Amino acid sequence: SQQGEEDPQALSIQEGENATMNCSYKTSINNLQWYRQNSGRGLVHLILIRSNEREKHSGRLRVTLDTSKKSSSLLITASRAADTASYFCASNSGYSTLTFGKGTMLLVSP
Amino acid sequence: DVKVTQSSRYLVKRTGEKVFLECVQDMDHENMFWYRQDPGLGLRLIYFSYDVKMKEKGDIPEGYSVSREKKERFSLILESASTNQTSMYLCASSHLRQAKNIQYFGAGTRLSVL
């Protein structure tokens, strides 16, 4: 079921600014993943953070995880127009399926 | 690189038609999934399969069926299409025994039922 919730639903920033998106989930997890979706396309996996990790970096992406609050955040630093997309979190509770949030639409203006 | 291919990017069908959406993956993944995506509702799981001829209902299976005759192919079937099935359909696959459980998605099929 759809348990994850992203916040905000939409975010509009200028190029060069940082973008922060938050995600909450409801059950215990093995890992938490973030995906990106360009308009009208499929989702692409960005980054994964395990339940025993608190922070992870990949290029301009920084993900944090707080299992006590069942929440995660995705920070994109120095945003570019090409970062314009929807971003989804997905929680993995150890089963074959993932539980996706409803997504944050990010618009980065030049 | 993993490739998940959905047979059509856009489809227009009439109410009552039987519709087949095809998905093929080339990475020998055991798991395959069908989602629909609607504005404000995010991704909702319709069906998934963890092996050939095996299927499990997701959150919204009503009005849909699936077929998995070969490991690389997973088909979604709308037995009698209705206008409320107009949506974006996404197929995904993943490796059954990979603890990370990362899913790889196709480009999506935008279905319009008139």
Side-chain angles (χ1 to χ4, degrees):
Chain A
S1 60
Q2 288 292 320
Q3 296 183 8
E5 294 285 344
E6 283 93 345
D7 168 46
Q9 290 186 327
L11 180 60
S12 182
I13 60 174
Q14 300 289 319
E15 266 191 328
E17 294 180 341
N18 295 341
T20 299
M21 289 158 264
N22 303 297
C23 164
S24 62
Y25 58 92
K26 294 186 179 178
T27 61
S28 61
I29 59 170
N30 287 358
N31 63 60
L32 191 289
Q33 304 175 28
W34 285 89
Y35 289 77
R36 166 191 168 131
Q37 183 182 33
N38 288 348
S39 180
R41 308 295 294 184
L43 278 71
V44 175
H45 179 262
L46 288 177
I47 191 168
L48 176 151
I49 185 165
R50 293 186 175 86
S51 60
N52 61 354
E53 298 175 312
R54 292 297 168 258
E55 188 171 310
K56 194 161 183 181
H57 296 254
S58 176
R60 294 185 295 112
L61 303 180
R62 172 181 165 241
V63 171
T64 62
L65 180 65
D66 186 334
T67 53
S68 67
K69 295 181 180 179
K70 290 187 169 61
S71 67
S72 174
S73 67
L74 172 68
L75 168 66
I76 305 173
T77 60
S79 296
R80 306 166 182 168
D83 294 328
T84 293
S86 292
Y87 293 83
F88 295 84
C89 68
S91 56
N92 173 17
S93 299
Y95 303 103
S96 293
T97 60
L98 297 176
T99 302
F100 285 88
K102 295 180 181 179
T104 293
M105 291 180 58
L106 173 65
L107 173 63
V108 182
S109 302
Chain B
D1 279 351
V2 175
K3 191 164 185 182
V4 179
T5 303
Q6 295 183 229
S7 54
S8 304
R9 292 280 288 125
Y10 301 95
L11 271 181
V12 180
K13 297 292 182 181
R14 298 221 173 263
T15 302
E17 278 193 76
K18 190 169 186 176
V19 181
F20 293 86
L21 301 183
E22 306 286 346
C23 176
V24 177
Q25 50 94 4
D26 67 358
M27 280 301 290
D28 203 36
H29 284 169
E30 295 83 1
N31 293 330
M32 295 190 75
F33 308 85
W34 275 107
Y35 297 90
R36 67 176 281 176
Q37 183 178 25
D38 300 287
L41 297 178
L43 274 73
R44 293 181 291 169
L45 181 64
I46 304 172
Y47 269 98
F48 71 99
S49 168
Y50 54 89
D51 201 353
V52 175
K53 297 193 185 296
M54 305 303 291
K55 62 184 180 182
E56 295 284 345
K57 292 180 180 179
D59 299 315
I60 51 163
E62 297 79 18
Y64 303 94
S65 62
V66 290
S67 173
R68 186 121 181 247
E69 296 297 320
K70 293 184 177 181
K71 189 175 186 180
E72 67 270 18
R73 186 179 297 270
F74 192 35
S75 302
L76 180 69
I77 304 157
L78 287 64
E79 296 289 342
S80 177
S82 63
T83 55
N84 62 13
Q85 293 178 309
T86 291
S87 187
M88 175 70 140
Y89 290 87
L90 293 167
C91 174
S93 71
S94 69
H95 196 301
L96 179 64
R97 293 173 192 80
Q98 185 200 57
K100 293 179 179 180
N101 199 14
I102 294 170
Q103 292 189 7
Y104 298 86
F105 284 80
T109 296
R110 189 166 295 280
L111 173 66
S112 295
V113 182
L114 306 179

